[in-house]
Amino acid sequence: MKLVRYGDTGAERPGLIDPEGVLRDLSDHVTDINASVLGDAALARLRALDPSALPAVNGSPRLGPVVGDIGKFLCIGLNYSDHAAETGAAIPEHPILFFKANSAIVGANDDVVMPRGSTHTDWEVELGVVIGTAAKYVSEDEALNHVAGYCIVNDVSERHFQTQLTGQWTKGKSCDTFGPTGPYLVTRDEIADPQALDMSLDVNGKRMQTGNTATMIFTVAQIISHLSQLMTLHPGDVITTGTPPGVGMGMKPEPVYLKPGDVMELEISGLGKQRQTVRQDA
């Protein structure tokens, strides 16, 4: 299934995309796409519905963040060997973990707003993983059983804030609008192998990032297992799993950063597309 949340910010309604690409309303069956409907049993009930019997939604409404009331927004850094190389960083021995503030989360096609003083705002296409059932001390073999589904995340980053303001990466990762997610939550039964997904990101029509999740240093299963040894992963938690090469800070001979008016377009096979316009905060 492709589950969505559609409508104005803060008033999103639950829906799904049927096999013909039509947006259908789920409000008669669930109040939201949130932790309460991400477990296997709840998803099975939604899967059993006849999509053609659900009300079609007219027009092209805004698509909001794929999960309502996201719990933790966990991020893995430097998880592609070629991306680590372009930034001059060593290959990590364990998954590098940082957090994005939940207030950074927006819809897949919402504007990305450069904060005041930003000169180094950068892009990162990433595979997002949404937890469906609680995971604590899980093995790699059972880790993917705790996944509700997958989505695209743009881990937008202000590199000066991230590296020069003293402290953790969170400062440069958590600006408002720096976490577009979606457009869909694609349930795990539709993704045969999360380590075989093509990824791309364009800026103003120019291809910047091309990659595949096969080149992750730590797989989705390894990441979930590792994190579950440290903390309980709860339904509705989102993990974004790192980016392939081609970020602005790695460009040669000089880094390239976003400016107002730029347009980012992201795609991951099977997970849809994102499109964001960049603007400057007032």
Side-chain angles (χ1 to χ4, degrees), residues 184-240:
Y184 322 124
L185 172 61
V186 180
T187 52
R188 75 170 190 267
D189 58 296
E190 293 200 10
I191 303 299
D193 183 0
Q195 305 307 144
L197 304 178
D198 290 328
M199 317 166 70
S200 66
L201 183 146
D202 297 350
V203 178
N204 300 329
K206 180 180 179 181
R207 180 59 46 88
M208 295 299 194
Q209 289 187 274
T210 301
N212 188 285
T213 55
T215 64
M216 282 184 183
I217 298 168
F218 304 103
T219 67
V220 173
Q222 289 172 326
I223 290 167
I224 292 171
S225 177
H226 176 76
L227 294 179
S228 79
Q229 313 306 312
L230 311 174
M231 67 191 82
T232 301
L233 301 176
H234 294 284
D237 288 351
V238 175
I239 305 167
T240 188

XYZ file of all heavy atoms in Angstrom, residues 184-240:
436
model
N 4.777 9.251 -0.032
C 4.003 8.113 0.455
C 4.758 7.379 1.553
O 5.982 7.415 1.610
C 3.745 7.078 -0.657
C 3.462 7.628 -2.018
C 4.234 7.243 -3.120
C 2.410 8.522 -2.222
C 3.974 7.736 -4.390
C 2.147 9.023 -3.491
C 2.933 8.628 -4.573
O 2.684 9.123 -5.821
N 4.002 6.682 2.391
C 4.552 5.608 3.205
C 4.226 4.317 2.452
O 3.065 3.908 2.370
C 3.924 5.585 4.598
C 4.288 4.375 5.462
C 5.787 4.311 5.719
C 3.516 4.398 6.779
N 5.245 3.711 1.877
C 5.065 2.473 1.110
C 5.314 1.305 2.052
O 6.415 1.161 2.607
C 6.023 2.422 -0.097
C 5.817 1.135 -0.879
C 5.808 3.637 -0.992
N 4.290 0.486 2.269
C 4.410 -0.595 3.252
C 5.454 -1.613 2.817
O 5.724 -1.791 1.631
C 3.055 -1.266 3.487
O 2.481 -1.655 2.228
C 2.105 -0.304 4.203
N 6.045 -2.268 3.802
C 7.243 -3.070 3.539
C 6.990 -4.242 2.597
O 7.924 -4.718 1.945
C 7.870 -3.552 4.841
C 7.172 -4.692 5.554
C 8.026 -5.224 6.705
N 7.491 -6.451 7.251
C 6.653 -6.508 8.286
N 6.247 -5.388 8.877
N 6.203 -7.670 8.719
N 5.731 -4.703 2.497
C 5.448 -5.812 1.595
C 5.661 -5.439 0.138
O 5.814 -6.320 -0.723
C 4.014 -6.316 1.800
C 2.984 -5.219 1.587
O 3.004 -4.251 2.369
O 2.177 -5.314 0.640
N 5.692 -4.136 -0.176
C 5.895 -3.693 -1.553
C 7.372 -3.453 -1.882
O 7.708 -3.200 -3.041
C 5.093 -2.415 -1.824
C 3.592 -2.641 -1.790
C 2.817 -1.548 -2.509
O 3.445 -0.711 -3.190
O 1.582 -1.531 -2.376
N 8.224 -3.512 -0.881
C 9.659 -3.299 -1.094
C 10.373 -4.605 -0.790
O 10.639 -4.936 0.367
C 10.198 -2.159 -0.206
C 9.417 -0.868 -0.466
C 11.688 -1.945 -0.434
C 9.515 -0.354 -1.896
N 10.670 -5.361 -1.849
C 11.247 -6.695 -1.668
C 12.606 -6.646 -0.987
O 12.943 -7.515 -0.170
C 11.359 -7.400 -3.022
N 13.403 -5.630 -1.300
C 14.751 -5.534 -0.734
C 15.102 -4.064 -0.567
O 15.351 -3.365 -1.556
C 15.760 -6.216 -1.660
C 17.174 -6.208 -1.105
O 17.385 -5.678 0.009
O 18.078 -6.740 -1.781
N 15.128 -3.560 0.677
C 15.472 -2.148 0.871
C 16.918 -1.828 0.514
O 17.286 -0.652 0.479
C 15.202 -1.926 2.363
C 15.336 -3.277 2.982
C 14.833 -4.241 1.949
N 17.731 -2.861 0.237
C 19.128 -2.637 -0.162
C 19.302 -2.728 -1.677
O 20.406 -2.978 -2.156
C 20.040 -3.645 0.538
C 19.925 -3.667 2.045
C 20.080 -2.310 2.716
O 19.437 -2.026 3.706
N 20.947 -1.474 2.168
N 18.242 -2.469 -2.424
C 18.331 -2.527 -3.886
C 17.493 -1.419 -4.521
O 16.802 -1.635 -5.509
C 17.870 -3.891 -4.390
N 17.580 -0.210 -3.950
C 16.752 0.894 -4.405
C 17.610 1.998 -5.022
O 18.537 2.508 -4.389
C 15.947 1.472 -3.231
C 15.052 0.482 -2.469
C 14.366 1.181 -1.304
C 14.030 -0.165 -3.405
N 17.293 2.364 -6.263
C 17.978 3.478 -6.913
C 17.514 4.796 -6.305
O 16.338 4.965 -5.966
C 17.690 3.489 -8.411
C 18.356 2.330 -9.152
O 19.450 1.908 -8.721
O 17.771 1.847 -10.141
N 18.449 5.745 -6.213
C 18.180 7.040 -5.592
C 18.737 8.144 -6.481
O 19.790 7.971 -7.104
C 18.850 7.139 -4.221
C 18.738 5.914 -3.359
S 19.866 5.943 -1.934
C 19.132 7.230 -0.939
N 18.068 9.286 -6.504
C 18.609 10.416 -7.250
C 18.100 11.717 -6.665
O 17.052 11.762 -6.001
C 18.236 10.338 -8.733
O 16.836 10.488 -8.914
N 18.856 12.788 -6.912
C 18.446 14.132 -6.536
C 18.961 15.104 -7.582
O 20.139 15.068 -7.951
C 18.968 14.517 -5.145
C 18.544 15.885 -4.610
C 18.367 15.848 -3.086
C 19.535 16.985 -4.987
N 18.058 15.953 -8.084
C 18.403 17.002 -9.041
C 18.208 18.364 -8.392
O 17.297 18.545 -7.559
C 17.500 16.944 -10.281
C 17.640 15.647 -11.068
O 18.564 14.863 -10.792
O 16.803 15.435 -11.972
N 19.036 19.320 -8.772
C 18.852 20.714 -8.394
C 18.731 21.522 -9.683
O 19.634 21.494 -10.523
C 20.007 21.242 -7.529
C 19.790 22.719 -7.203
C 20.124 20.435 -6.230
N 17.598 22.186 -9.845
C 17.329 22.972 -11.053
C 17.512 22.137 -12.324
O 18.036 22.614 -13.333
C 18.221 24.213 -11.090
C 17.994 25.115 -9.893
O 16.893 25.187 -9.354
N 19.050 25.792 -9.454
N 17.086 20.870 -12.246
C 17.142 19.990 -13.402
C 18.477 19.345 -13.650
O 18.609 18.536 -14.590
N 19.475 19.637 -12.838
C 20.804 19.046 -13.004
C 21.003 17.927 -11.997
O 20.802 18.120 -10.795
C 21.889 20.105 -12.818
C 23.307 19.561 -12.977
C 24.339 20.652 -12.777
C 25.763 20.107 -12.908
N 26.784 21.180 -12.695
N 21.383 16.753 -12.464
C 21.573 15.615 -11.579
C 22.785 15.859 -10.663
O 23.895 16.111 -11.110
C 21.790 14.350 -12.410
C 22.004 13.058 -11.629
C 20.850 12.707 -10.701
N 19.532 12.827 -11.280
C 18.910 11.846 -11.945
N 19.496 10.675 -12.105
N 17.697 12.051 -12.437
N 22.529 15.803 -9.368
C 23.574 15.987 -8.368
C 23.925 14.679 -7.661
O 25.095 14.382 -7.439
C 23.134 17.026 -7.333
C 22.953 18.424 -7.902
S 24.486 19.077 -8.587
C 24.081 20.801 -8.773
N 22.905 13.912 -7.293
C 23.133 12.656 -6.586
C 22.564 11.491 -7.385
O 21.425 11.556 -7.860
C 22.488 12.677 -5.199
C 23.176 13.598 -4.203
C 22.589 13.442 -2.817
O 21.601 14.083 -2.481
N 23.197 12.596 -2.002
N 23.352 10.452 -7.517
C 22.915 9.182 -8.086
C 23.491 8.096 -7.205
O 24.698 8.090 -6.925
C 23.413 8.996 -9.527
O 22.927 10.067 -10.336
C 22.923 7.679 -10.097
N 22.650 7.192 -6.741
C 23.152 6.140 -5.868
C 22.194 4.983 -5.782
O 21.143 4.962 -6.438
N 22.555 4.025 -4.967
C 21.722 2.856 -4.719
C 21.951 2.421 -3.286
O 23.087 2.469 -2.789
C 22.064 1.725 -5.691
C 21.099 0.569 -5.603
O 21.137 -0.225 -4.659
N 20.213 0.441 -6.587
N 20.878 2.006 -2.629
C 20.997 1.610 -1.223
C 21.886 0.389 -1.033
O 22.258 0.068 0.104
C 19.612 1.332 -0.626
O 18.940 0.350 -1.424
C 18.766 2.610 -0.590
N 22.261 -0.280 -2.121
C 23.176 -1.421 -2.019
C 24.540 -1.006 -1.494
O 25.283 -1.854 -0.972
C 23.327 -2.096 -3.382
N 24.893 0.284 -1.622
C 26.222 0.728 -1.200
C 26.239 1.288 0.219
O 27.224 1.904 0.626
C 26.786 1.766 -2.178
O 25.981 2.935 -2.155
C 26.837 1.208 -3.598
N 25.155 1.082 0.968
C 25.184 1.460 2.383
C 26.288 0.700 3.114
O 26.518 -0.486 2.861
C 23.851 1.130 3.059
C 22.717 2.080 2.793
S 21.277 1.576 3.783
C 20.076 2.768 3.226
N 26.938 1.378 4.043
C 27.913 0.716 4.912
C 27.176 -0.195 5.890
O 27.558 -1.351 6.095
C 28.756 1.768 5.650
C 29.552 2.617 4.652
C 29.694 1.094 6.657
C 30.172 3.857 5.257
N 26.135 0.329 6.506
C 25.293 -0.448 7.428
C 23.906 -0.573 6.807
O 23.285 0.427 6.433
C 25.195 0.242 8.794
C 26.531 0.495 9.431
C 27.100 1.767 9.425
C 27.244 -0.543 10.017
C 28.333 2.001 9.999
C 28.483 -0.318 10.593
C 29.042 0.958 10.581
N 23.407 -1.794 6.673
C 22.107 -2.036 6.071
C 20.981 -1.561 6.990
O 21.198 -1.291 8.184
C 21.908 -3.525 5.780
O 21.840 -4.234 7.040
C 23.033 -4.086 4.925
N 19.776 -1.496 6.434
C 18.617 -1.136 7.250
C 18.485 -2.089 8.433
O 18.255 -1.665 9.576
C 17.336 -1.140 6.395
C 16.101 -0.944 7.280
C 17.400 -0.061 5.320
N 18.637 -3.383 8.190
C 18.518 -4.362 9.278
C 19.595 -4.147 10.340
O 19.320 -4.233 11.545
C 18.602 -5.778 8.719
N 20.806 -3.865 9.918
C 21.886 -3.616 10.875
C 21.629 -2.356 11.693
O 21.885 -2.322 12.901
C 23.220 -3.513 10.134
C 23.720 -4.833 9.589
C 24.940 -4.677 8.691
O 25.075 -3.683 7.963
N 25.838 -5.656 8.732
N 21.110 -1.320 11.030
C 20.829 -0.071 11.735
C 19.752 -0.285 12.796
O 19.899 0.140 13.949
C 20.389 1.014 10.727
C 21.581 1.434 9.863
C 19.792 2.219 11.450
C 21.177 2.251 8.651
N 18.652 -0.946 12.416
C 17.566 -1.177 13.373
C 18.056 -2.012 14.542
O 17.780 -1.697 15.714
C 16.367 -1.842 12.679
C 15.720 -0.869 11.694
C 15.332 -2.330 13.705
C 14.664 -1.497 10.806
N 18.774 -3.074 14.253
C 19.285 -3.925 15.321
C 20.192 -3.135 16.252
O 20.081 -3.218 17.488
C 20.036 -5.124 14.728
O 20.593 -5.917 15.754
N 21.111 -2.360 15.668
C 22.053 -1.580 16.484
C 21.319 -0.589 17.372
O 21.575 -0.512 18.586
C 23.029 -0.851 15.563
C 23.983 0.051 16.277
N 25.065 -0.418 16.980
C 24.016 1.414 16.408
C 25.742 0.592 17.511
N 25.114 1.712 17.183
N 20.403 0.183 16.787
C 19.697 1.182 17.582
C 18.857 0.542 18.672
O 18.708 1.103 19.765
C 18.815 2.042 16.671
C 19.539 2.932 15.658
C 18.530 3.698 14.818
C 20.510 3.886 16.334
N 18.304 -0.637 18.380
C 17.442 -1.297 19.366
C 18.219 -1.805 20.567
O 17.618 -2.123 21.600
C 16.667 -2.448 18.717
O 17.471 -3.610 18.567
N 19.539 -1.908 20.455
C 20.357 -2.262 21.618
C 20.529 -1.060 22.547
O 20.872 -1.219 23.728
C 21.745 -2.757 21.185
C 21.767 -3.784 20.073
C 20.915 -4.999 20.332
O 20.974 -5.604 21.408
N 20.100 -5.367 19.349
N 20.311 0.140 22.005
C 20.547 1.377 22.746
C 19.280 1.968 23.314
O 19.303 2.647 24.350
C 21.214 2.404 21.827
C 22.426 1.926 21.026
C 22.872 3.017 20.061
C 23.563 1.525 21.956
N 18.158 1.777 22.614
C 16.883 2.387 23.008
C 15.759 1.583 22.372
O 15.978 0.903 21.367
C 16.807 3.841 22.518
C 16.751 3.971 21.002
S 16.968 5.651 20.389
C 18.776 5.766 20.439
N 14.579 1.673 22.935
C 13.424 1.057 22.301
C 12.990 1.917 21.119
O 12.842 3.131 21.232
C 12.259 0.919 23.281
O 12.682 0.120 24.410
C 11.065 0.241 22.620
N 12.817 1.271 19.977
C 12.239 1.930 18.814
C 10.735 1.713 18.863
O 10.270 0.569 18.983
C 12.825 1.351 17.529
C 14.349 1.470 17.394
C 14.830 0.777 16.127
C 14.787 2.929 17.413
N 9.979 2.783 18.776
C 8.534 2.714 18.945
C 7.818 2.918 17.602
O 8.364 3.555 16.690
C 8.067 3.778 19.933
C 8.542 3.571 21.332
N 7.990 2.629 22.166
C 9.523 4.181 22.047
C 8.597 2.663 23.347
N 9.540 3.592 23.294
N 6.599 2.407 17.495
C 5.812 2.684 16.291
C 5.726 4.187 16.040
O 5.462 4.969 16.957
C 4.437 2.090 16.617
C 4.727 1.012 17.615
C 5.870 1.529 18.444
N 5.953 4.572 14.797
C 5.939 5.982 14.449
C 7.293 6.652 14.479
O 7.432 7.794 14.037
N 8.322 5.965 15.003
C 9.679 6.492 14.894
C 10.122 6.416 13.433
O 9.771 5.474 12.710
C 10.659 5.691 15.752
C 10.497 5.941 17.240
O 9.751 6.855 17.630
O 11.141 5.202 18.026
N 10.887 7.396 13.014
C 11.418 7.437 11.656
C 12.938 7.430 11.720
O 13.542 8.180 12.494
C 10.926 8.684 10.895
C 11.585 8.776 9.515
C 9.412 8.653 10.747
N 13.540 6.561 10.915
C 14.997 6.494 10.801
C 15.360 6.864 9.371
O 14.852 6.258 8.424
C 15.529 5.084 11.103
C 15.056 4.596 12.469
C 17.061 5.052 11.035
C 15.290 3.104 12.693
N 16.219 7.849 9.210
C 16.716 8.173 7.877
C 18.164 7.701 7.798
O 18.935 7.875 8.734
C 16.520 9.663 7.549
O 16.845 9.904 6.189
C 17.306 10.570 8.459
